[in-house]
Amino acid sequence: MERVVVAGAGLAGLQAVIALRGQGYSGELVLVGAEPHPPYNRPPLSKAVLLGDADDPTLPFDAAALKVDVRLDTTATDLREGELDTDAGTLAYDGLVIATGAEPVRLPGDGAIYLRTRDDAVALRSRLQAGERVIVVGAGWIGAEVATAAARHGCRVTVLEQAATPVTHALPAEVGRHFAPWYAAAGVELLCGQRVAAVRPDGVDLADGRRLSASLVVVGVGVRPATSWLEGSGLALDHGVAVGPDLLTSWPAVVAAGDVTARWSPRYATRIRGEHWDDALRAPAVAAATLLGRDETYDPVPYVWSEQFGRFVQYAGHPAASDRIVWRGDPDRDPSWSAFWLTGDDRLTALIAVGRPRDLVQGRRLADRGVRVDAELLTDPAVSVQATVAGLAG
Ligand SMILES: Cc1cc2nc3c(=O)[nH]c(=O)nc-3n(C[C@H](O)[C@H](O)[C@H](O)COP(=O)(O)OP(=O)(O)OC[C@H]3O[C@@H](n4cnc5c(N)ncnc54)[C@H](O)[C@@H]3O)c2cc1C
């Protein structure tokens, strides 16, 4: 291969560049990114950057050492086999990595802030002034983090959630309901069961006809893969760029990684969407290997974390609806607790850990191995998760 082009200069795009060079690719390498900034980390945008603790999320990377031609402010607009169109001209490629990430789901109306880029974060931070009335739409991971920062800056914050409990896109109500008291404790008003029909610069219109006013509206209702530029190209899309476990798309010599993907997972026999930092960090090494003709697959136990209302929340796995939940600690009483999803024969499929990072590390490993655990032992916070492996314990 003489020229590999990477479309999208976020974490996945940068990791693809690093992996290609690390795995011995020595041909021409071009990194194309729509934003004016070199690659940066997004998780700090809704945490340290908004809180004012740090403001430079730039990822360390040496373009000269990596011999990569970085073209910022350049947007991929169309794709044919062997050719990528951008708003700055057409690039021929022998290999292509698609890493264009995701973009926020938008609500009808204008004037709301959506938090995806570092420019969004800087703009939002400057508007989080004490006394401001802020409405956050969505009590998911991002909404909770924005509410945390806004409350910390002395804003009067209301979070509107369509579902009956927070984080319903990821967690069942019996777990999500334990997040609700965190809002009140931080001085944030959480109103569940409120569907926003439209946003305005000075508030929101609810579906039931009421109008709520605010000086600032921030929307965090999920993301969708940034694939609009690929529609009509003929490349297979399925709520994201459809890739196999080797991260190959429907075209030869075109791979994809990170938030843009809808990856077939043999482990779960379903398509899994990226959407998490860990995916964008680790998948590109497999995408690079596939492009270079090596036989590798990527099918991990998904992992996401969030920092909200002073708590470190980590979630790993992919439970089935039929799994039962086992609690470790009392979420209504204990500052830290975990919950585990178990199959009918006590195999760990997923876990959430609040302030218990060791549970997460060990539980994720057990979920990866699909081993059986002693459900009774698992409820005891004094017993390590590792020690609950059936047969080992006792
Ligand atoms: C505020 C915020 C906080 C987050 N916090 C967490 C967290 O705590 N934990 C966690 O697990 N995950 C978190 N995430 C998710 C995580 O950041 C993403 O999963 C990760 O950034 C995905 O990386 P990516 O490179 O695939 O996509 P992106 O980071 O979206 O990067 C894609 C890049 O491609 C560019 N691009 C898009 N279209 C084109 C085009 N046509 N041509 C050229 N370039 C294009 C985009 O502008 C972007 O720069 C957070 C995300 C956000 C926004």
Side-chain angles (χ1 to χ4, degrees), residues 1-6 15-29 94-97 246-249 251-256 283-297:
M1 265 188 307
E2 286 176 17
R3 181 195 265 171
V4 172
V5 175
V6 179
Q15 288 294 102
V17 165
I18 293 169
L20 283 160
R21 287 301 187 221
Q23 293 176 29
Y25 172 68
S26 58
E28 198 184 335
L29 191 50
D94 304 306
L96 176 73
V97 182
D246 54 3
L247 305 182
L248 188 66
T249 68
W251 289 0
V254 179
V255 293
V286 173
T290 295
L291 210 51
L292 300 177
R294 301 201 182 96
D295 196 11
E296 284 191 30
T297 56

Side-chain angles (χ1 to χ4, degrees), residues 5-8 32-34 73-79 84-89 96 100 228-230:
V5 175
V6 179
V32 175
D73 251 330
T74 304
T75 302
T77 53
D78 206 352
L79 186 65
L84 176 79
D85 286 343
T86 77
D87 57 2
L96 176 73
T100 48
S228 55
W229 65 282
L230 292 165

Side-chain angles (χ1 to χ4, degrees), residues 350-371:
L351 78 156
I352 184 156
V354 177
R356 294 188 63 93
R358 191 173 297 174
D359 284 3
L360 191 285
V361 170
Q362 296 182 5
R364 186 183 185 190
R365 221 177 283 143
L366 300 189
D368 183 38
R369 286 164 48 204
V371 292

Side-chain angles (χ1 to χ4, degrees), residues 83-219:
E83 282 184 330
L84 176 79
D85 286 343
T86 77
D87 57 2
T90 297
L91 285 165
Y93 66 81
D94 304 306
L96 176 73
V97 182
I98 298 176
T100 48
E103 50 206 14
V105 172
R106 295 190 174 259
L107 294 178
D110 294 317
I113 292 189
Y114 294 83
L115 177 55
R116 183 72 194 177
T117 67
R118 65 184 293 172
D119 291 345
D120 296 337
V122 169
L124 175 57
R125 180 175 147 189
S126 72
R127 295 194 55 190
L128 295 179
Q129 304 293 338
E132 295 285 348
R133 172 111 180 75
V134 178
I135 287 180
V136 178
V137 185
W141 305 127
I142 299 281
E145 293 185 353
V146 170
T148 301
R152 191 84 69 83
H153 286 292
C155 302
R156 290 175 297 140
V157 190
T158 297
V159 177
L160 302 174
E161 168 57 49
Q162 170 174 295
T165 54
V167 221
T168 37
H169 69 288
L171 300 173
E174 66 177 304
V175 177
R177 74 182 179 84
H178 294 294
F179 288 46
W182 303 350
Y183 289 73
V188 172
E189 182 182 38
L190 171 67
L191 300 177
C192 289
Q194 308 292 326
R195 201 168 78 74
V196 171
V199 292
R200 293 179 290 108
D202 60 349
V204 300
D205 295 329
L206 294 175
D208 63 13
R210 280 180 301 145
R211 184 168 268 210
L212 301 181
S213 56
S215 41
L216 179 61
V217 178
V218 187
V219 178

Side-chain angles (χ1 to χ4, degrees), residues 6-15 31-47 50 59 71 73-78 84-87 98-104 114-118 120-121 141-142 145-146 223-230 257-261 274-281 284 303-307 312-313 315:
V6 179
L11 177 62
L14 175 59
Q15 288 294 102
L31 177 64
V32 175
E35 291 185 64
H37 307 289
Y40 60 88
N41 246 337
R42 283 176 214 279
L45 299 183
S46 50
K47 306 174 183 69
L50 275 197
L59 289 160
R71 305 192 188 179
D73 251 330
T74 304
T75 302
T77 53
D78 206 352
L84 176 79
D85 286 343
T86 77
D87 57 2
I98 298 176
T100 48
E103 50 206 14
Y114 294 83
L115 177 55
R116 183 72 194 177
T117 67
R118 65 184 293 172
D120 296 337
W141 305 127
I142 299 281
E145 293 185 353
V146 170
V223 295
R224 60 169 60 104
T227 54
S228 55
W229 65 282
L230 292 165
D259 279 13
V260 78
T261 57
E275 291 197 6
H276 304 316
W277 184 88
D278 191 59
D279 228 48
L281 181 77
Y303 167 67
V304 61
W305 84 95
S306 170
E307 293 162 40
F312 187 41
V313 182
Y315 176 63

